[in-house]
Structures are given as C-alpha cells and as structure tokens.
Amino acid sequence: MTEATHRARWKALAWAWLLAVAALAVHQADFWREARLDSDVMALLPGEIDDALLKAANARLAAGATQQVVVLVGAPDWAATRRAAEAFGARVMGSGSPFAVVAASEDALEGALAFYAGHRQGLLTPAQRAQLDDPRTVELALARLYSPGAGGFGAWREDPLGLWPAWWQDRAGAALSTRDGQLVVRGESRDWALLRLESRMPAFQLDGERHLRDALDRASAAARAATNEVDVITGGVPLHAEAAAVRARTEVGTIGLGSLIAVVALVWLAFRSPRPILMVSASLLVGCAAGVSVTALVFGQVHLLTLVFGASLVGVAEDYGIHWFASRQAQPDVPPRTMMRRLLPALGLALVTSALAYLALGIAPFPGLRQMAVFSAAGLAAAFITVALWFPWLDGAAPRPSAFARAVGRSLLHWPRLSNHWPTWLAAGAVLVVLAIGLPRLAVNDDLRSLQSSPPDLLAQEARLGRVLGLPSPAQYFLVEGEDAEQVREREEALTDRLATLVENDGLGGWRAVTDWLPSSARQREDAARVQAVEGRVLARAAELLGEAPAPTEPATTLSHADWLAHPVSEPLRPLWLGAVDGRWGSVVLLEGLDPGRLPALAAAADGLPGVRWVDRSATISGVLAHYRHQMSAWLLAGYAAVALALWLRFGRRAWRAWLPTALAATLSLALLGWLGVPLQLFGVLAQLLLLGVGVDYGIFLLEHRDDPASWLAVSLGAASTLLAFGLLALSATPALHSFGLTLLLGIGLVWLITPCFRPAAPAAT
C-alpha cells in the first residue's frame, strides 16, 4: 500500500468517525432532554428469580410502595392539628405539585360497612370465637338489651351479641380512626392527621433535583405558619429514591469535574501547551458521550450509579492521548501518521486489556454492573478511536519539552530495582509484616445494607413513622401458596393462628393478611353457624321474656374472593393477594412490630405448615452477594493465571516482572483494607478484577520500552490521573462505590510504585 493510499484511507476513516460523533451529539441532546435515569440501587442486584411466585410477591410488594409517601401532621391539640393538616394539604397540592393526594373518604367507609354487613355472621375475631363458647354470653347479650347504648330493640336484634363493632375495631386497629373527614392515628401522646400522597413522578427515574423534598418542605412551612408546635413526619420510597438521585448527580459533577481538572493540570505541566489539553479533553468528551449513548441504546436507560462510576473513566481514557503526546514530545522529527502506526499495537493492546477488565464486571448477573461494563468499554473504545483517527491530523507540531516532563521521565533512572542487597530485603520484610498483620484482620461483609445508605434524617423519620403507624416490614414476610384460592386462605389462617401466640408473647407487634378481611369460605361457614346458634338462643330467650314469637334467623352468605377483589374495599390489601401465578395461587403475610432478634422464632412459625414459607429478602440477597463474591474471586484467580500465560508467551522467563507487581499490589491493598478496618465486599473483588487489567499494562510498557523516559512519562501521567479518578470515587457516599474506589485507590497507587522496581537491570538481563 502506497503512502498516498494509506493517507486517503486514514482521512476517510477520520471523516466517518466525525459523522459518528455528530450522531452521538444528536443522541445526547435527546437523551438529556428526557433524562431516562434510574436511581434504584436495587438495580445493582440480580433481577431474575427462578421461583415465579416468589418473584411475583417481591414485585407486588415493591410496586405497592414505589409511589406512596406518607405524612403525619401533629400538634398539641386536635384543633391545631386540623389547621396544620389543612394548611399542609393545601400547600402540597399547589400549582405544579409533584404529588396527588389520596383522600380519606367518608363514602368509602360507608361503602365498606355496607359491603361487609351482609356477611357479618361469618366474620369473627379469635377473641369473639372464645366469647361465643362462654356460657355467660346469652345473659350478657340480654343485659345489653337494657343498657342505655343499645339503640332500641330493633338495633339490638340486628346484632344482639355486639360482634359487629368489635370486629371493625379489631380490623382498623386501636390507633386508627376518622375525625372531621380526616384519618387520625394516636401515638406519642398526640393525635396525628394522616395524609397519603402519591408521587406523580416515576420513583426511580428522577432527574437529580429535589422536587419531592422541596414540595414537602414548603408544605411543612405552611403547616408551621398555621399553628405553633406542629410536628411533621414524612416517609416513603420516593423520598429515598430522590435522595439517591440528588446525591448521585452531585457525585457525577464532583468526580467527573475533579478527574477532568486533574487530567488538564497534568497535561499542562507535561506539555505546556493548550493544544494537548484541548485534544485530550475532546477525546474524553467523545468517550463519555459514547458510554452514555451505547448504554442507553442497549439497556433503554442509564443508572445514576453508572454515571458516577463512568465519571472515573476520565482517568483511564486519557491514557491514549497522553501516550501520543509523550511520544511526539520525545521524537518530534517522526511524522504524525508514522508515529501513530508505531503506537497503534501498544495502544490497541492497552485498549483490549482495559476493556476486557471492565467487561469482566458484566460477568455477574447484576444489571447495574453490566451497565457499568458496557459504559466503560464503549467509552474507552470511542476515546481510542478519536485519538487514532483524529490526532495525526489535528496535531501539527510536537509539544515542546518541559521541565516537568523531563523530571518525571528521568525519575525512572533513579527508581530502585530489585537486587540482592539489604534495601531490597528490608523492603521485603516490611511487605511481609504488612501482609501478616493486615490480611488476618480483613473482614468480609455481604450485608445488603452495605450497598446503600439514605440520609440519616430520612432514616430517622422513616423509623419514627413506622413506630407511630406500626407499618409492616417488606423485607421479611411469609409466602403462602396452594392449589386454589380457598386452599391459600385456609393455609394463611393456620399461619395467623400461630402468629397470634407470638403476639401474646411480645415477640411480634401484629400482622397484615388477606384473611383478616376475607376469611376462607370454610371458616366463614363455621363462624356463621356458631353465631347463628348463639344468636338463636339469645333471640329465643328475649322473645320469651317479651312474650313474642321468636324472629326467624336470616341465612348467612359467604363472601368470595372474586367479589372482594372487585370491590374498592380490597384496594389496600391487593398487593398481598398474588392470585394465580404459573398454575399456583399465593398470598403474602406481612409482619408488624418486628424484633430483629426474634427472626428465628418467626421463621419457625412456618414449620410443619404445608404451603407456608418464611422469606427473608435481606438475608437472601446477602447470600446472593456472598455467592457472587466467591464466584468473582474464582474468576479473579483464573484471570491472573490467564494473564500469566499470555505474558509468558510474549516475554518468556521475564514475564514475572510484568505479572508480579500487580499481584503483589492487589494482595497489599487487601492487607491495607484490613489495617483500615474496611470490610471486603463483592465490589472490592470486582475492583481487583479491574486492577488486574489496568495494572499489568504498566509492567508491559516498562518491559517493552525498558528505561525509555517518554514511556515512563506516559505511564506516570496515566497512573496519576487514574489514581485521582478512582480516589475521588472513594469519596462517594454510596458504600458500594466507596469500597470500589478505595480498593482501586490503594491498588493502582501500589502497582505504580512497585512496577518500576521489577525492571531488568540491563537490556540483556532476564
């Protein structure tokens, strides 16, 4: 191929890449206008569950909470509480509000009373069943006839045993009631007005702005202006999601901007020209844009944590441009296209190893990690193509040598090498001490809570809200399954009968189950027969005393699950009724007032009950994290073996000089985590995978070029910027990213320091 032909093809490829970058710009404008971002940290976890019923239960519970925000407004007296609640409601529903109010309706309560009234004889609490077995029940019922609150003989005859009001009181709970058209809950020695809000925004597709929090703060200020000493408590999944989105957006700016400033500063110190800064920045911008666009096209959206992680890509993608300018600075007489042809094999190998290291993150079935892998690999490839196709055309003159570049390049000549002298043995002893003390201290933490952290004030309000309302925990529950709807309800009743004993023994605050409002048909018939028998005796005795003929007993009707589901009264409990899933029927029983120390006793409540199983989502997901940590550790060891083989094929007996520094740095980083008391997580193992792909490059370049100052300058600048990028990632408030960044901060810093020590003593040394 002639030089003219090669030049023409290179130019055509450069123009083609310009068109591709223009398409990226168009897509970026569309993407950021719609902001298809996901902030749900649970997206980092495996999404597929083999058990269809369990998967349906988790999805139903999540869907029931993702849009709901609960607000409690309380003041010293009810009049003040009502004024504050009205002011809050009016303000939160102002123009442009992100909320819709789920109003408490008197008509809804009347509709529920009318719906259940025809089935009242088949609706009993456990205490009422025991009451009906008491021989004194007939006499007590007759005594009620003559009490002042009986409401006359007609009202008494409709419910002579007084079962109906007691059943409703048990269903509603002792603290919940209605007052002046508002829901009221009693707690902390005051009456709270309960407001239920529904976010109009998708819970996990926020734009990083405080829409919900600001609306609640404005409404709280209006409530405080209406009355003194008002207290407002808020909670709900959308608030946690928004807090994560706001934090992630801040971190994207901090980490991305910090990395960019670091790269610009290093490039300026090395080359003292605005051209390298502008060209390297352009390659980084193209790389980040490509990462966003490819991720959005592959997954349909981009996770906010992917953007936070991708911001650290700046510290890696700039290596290609820095290598170009370092080589141009050292050899200014070599034509640009000739220089690029010389660099392409090494740069291409660096791209492949780094991209493979990033793609290794996608081995685990974690959607969030797969996004990070695709984002990083696409971004690196785009930055590489930009450097390879555009830099030879845009870089007309080699940068002038600078004092900083000369100092960094020459520092390699003074770097210590391994030798059979006392400094080497002293350093080896120090390394052994660090390993011997640090590694045994290294703890492992696979707890789900290590992946996320909400603001402390939000967690405190959530805990207080749960105490006042007695909200159930969606993290632990019982899953009940059967062949049909009736069998599920019967098995659920067997479970709640056991849970009642735990409530009596102070091991449980209560539960929420469908059968509290929809007993099985068998239990309804049994209870109705029991009620009719006792009521028959009471009415007969009353007729005898009054000298009247006994009134005929109306036949009881059984409430079906189809009728119940079709009525609005079932709406609050519909998330608990799974219905038919892959030929099996199921329901969920949630627990209230859960004591973490009593979880084993609660789990034992399912023992021996067919179709009933205990589900601890936190423990299950923690087990999944542990499983994949072990799996990734095995992949890591296999990766080191594969890299060792590849290096041996290229360098023969010298391969250990490129391999051992990274292995030693990785081991030392684990020991230092032990010294610092930072536990090892799955994300720490994934960081070790990435360290393998990035760290070995330093050894490869130093073996290829040995004591070349220009090569060492490029390696040092690349390592320093990568170190800064991942060091900033260690500042993330998201525990998973913090662990990832800290591991790489230690690992990359160590491999950069150690690798030059393994250089051969002379070109002929082995």
Side-chain angles (χ1 to χ4, degrees), residues 118 126 177 209 219 272 293 358 362 393 412 430 504 618 646 657 682 724:
S177 61
E209 299 290 341
R272 294 303 180 104
S293 294
Y358 276 112
W393 293 97
L412 181 64
E504 294 172 359
S618 298
R657 295 182 180 274
L682 170 65
L724 288 171

Side-chain angles (χ1 to χ4, degrees), residues 471-473 476 478 499 508 510-511 589-594 602 614:
L471 296 177
S473 170
Q476 293 87 19
F478 288 98
L499 294 179
L508 183 65
W511 66 82
V589 176
L590 295 179
L591 305 175
E592 300 173 349
L594 201 58
L602 289 172
W614 168 253

